[in-house]
């Protein structure tokens, strides 16, 4: 299985290589199963996508989609709309979730007052009970987060699968297609999420109060239930027909 991983990270961002490793570990695959593509240069070509079996979209430490500051944003959103229309197997995490929200007509807001940095309890929505993927999760379940943008309105025609006290929209499914996205990071665990928090501490400090930063340091714990999601997603993809674009 080959996975195309979309990233929006500068070349000197240490998370650029680390993200491949965390996705690989979470999927139970070797790192060479992943082909990373830099969205700062624009979206991948159709031939790049067709050479892989699955699309995953990772995070970004320097761009806020609510501000529209990602280079080539319109082209990336158009690419994702084509992916969704084709039903190409896709899992998007955090920044990737926000990309799909925008691509499909939803809305994002910059909301540092309700930022979620650390490990938080989320609850599946009633719709999650019948979902092939989110039906695995208990209520509540712990998840790793690190965001200041949030979805204020999810796309029409998608299903919201999880919520938290601060953020009502935490995951989406495109009905009838192998396409999921989460505001949280199923590819991260307590250790890797805390390491990323420390790496981007200056950026968080610019938006969060000193008291909130102090609390954030204590807000990291294990999240064993979300570790089930990516392996299960790949099982579902392997068990179904591969969609061609």
């Amino acid at each position: 299985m080959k996975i195309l991983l979309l990233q929006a990270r500068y070349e000197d961002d240490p998370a650029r290589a680390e993200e491949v490793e965390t996705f690989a570990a979470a999927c139970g695959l070797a790192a060479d199963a992943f082909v990373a593509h830099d969205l700062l240069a624009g979206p991948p070509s159709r031939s790049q996508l067709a050479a892989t079996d699955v699309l995953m979209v990772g995070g970004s430490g320097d761009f806020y989609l609510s501000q529209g500051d990602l280079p080539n944003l319109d082209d990336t959103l158009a690419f994702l709309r084509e992916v969704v229309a084709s039903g190409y197997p896709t899992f998007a995490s955090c920044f990737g979730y926000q990309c799909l929200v925008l691509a499909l007509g939803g809305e994002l807001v910059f909301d540092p007052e309700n930022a979620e940095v650390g490990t938080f309890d989320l609850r599946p929505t009633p719709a999650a009970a019948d979902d092939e993927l989110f039906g695995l999760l208990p209520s509540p379940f712990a998840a790793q987060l690190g965001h200041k943008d949030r979805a204020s309105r999810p796309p029409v025609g998608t299903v919201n699968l999880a919520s938290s006290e601060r953020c009502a929209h935490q995951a989406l499914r495109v009905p009838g297609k192998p396409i999921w996205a989460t505001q949280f990071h199923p590819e991260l665990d307590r250790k890797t999420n805390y390491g990323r928090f420390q790496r981007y501490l200056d950026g968080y400090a610019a938006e969060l109060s000193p008291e909130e930063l102090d609390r954030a340091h204590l807000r990291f714990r294990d999240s064993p239930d979300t570790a089930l999601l990516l392996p299960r997603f790949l099982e579902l993809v392997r068990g179904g027909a591969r969609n061609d674009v």
Side-chain angles (χ1 to χ4, degrees), residues 97 101 122-129 131 134 151 153-155 157-164 167-175 180-184:
Y97 168 81
V101 167
L122 277 61
R123 294 186 179 278
T125 64
D131 186 76
F134 273 70
R153 181 175 60 80
T158 62
V159 179
N160 181 44
L161 295 171
S163 64
S164 69
C167 185
H169 311 296
Q170 287 279 4
L172 67 80
R173 168 79 186 275
V174 178
W180 286 266
T182 60
Q183 178 62 83
F184 58 91

Side-chain angles (χ1 to χ4, degrees), residues 6 45 52-53 57 63-64 71 73-74 85 93 104-105 112 181 183-184 187-188 211 226-227 236-237 243:
L6 305 186
S45 66
T52 60
D53 304 290
V57 190
F63 300 98
Y64 292 96
L73 176 58
D74 289 343
S93 167
L104 299 179
Q183 178 62 83
F184 58 91
E187 79 279 11
L188 298 182
E211 294 77 15
T226 59
L236 292 171
V237 170
N243 291 280

